[in-house]
Amino acid sequence: MKIVRRIGVPPSARGSSSGATCPDVFELSDGNFAVIGTEATKALDGELPPDAARADYERIVIVSRETLIRAKADIPDA
């Protein structure tokens, strides 16, 4: 599995002073997506609705609204 491309714009275009360490979204060679976000599993696990669940190997991460909005145009419809 490899990162194929960034979805959206780089962190520097979203105001990151270092241009390197910010939430990000990537498309993978297998068609899935990977995200870099702030770890929030402990804080949000108990807030999940009754019809949502998280496996032990999964984590809840926060990705900023701007990151997803700026990525929207690059997310394929199918």
Side-chain angles (χ1 to χ4, degrees), residues 35-50:
V35 299
I36 298 172
T38 303
E39 165 68 43
T41 305
K42 187 174 180 180
L44 295 176
D45 207 35
E47 298 294 321
L48 291 173

Side-chain angles (χ1 to χ4, degrees), residues 11-77:
S12 59
R14 289 182 270 118
S16 172
S17 58
S18 70
T21 56
C22 279
D24 226 331
V25 182
F26 300 96
E27 185 172 359
L28 303 177
S29 57
D30 65 0
N32 287 315
F33 296 91
V35 299
I36 298 172
T38 303
E39 165 68 43
T41 305
K42 187 174 180 180
L44 295 176
D45 207 35
E47 298 294 321
L48 291 173
D51 62 348
R54 180 188 60 80
D56 287 341
Y57 58 85
E58 295 174 322
R59 299 293 172 261
I60 300 170
V61 298
I62 296 171
V63 177
S64 71
R65 178 179 178 83
E66 182 180 6
T67 300
L68 286 182
I69 288 171
R70 302 282 296 264
K72 183 178 177 181
D74 291 344
I75 297 173
D77 290 331

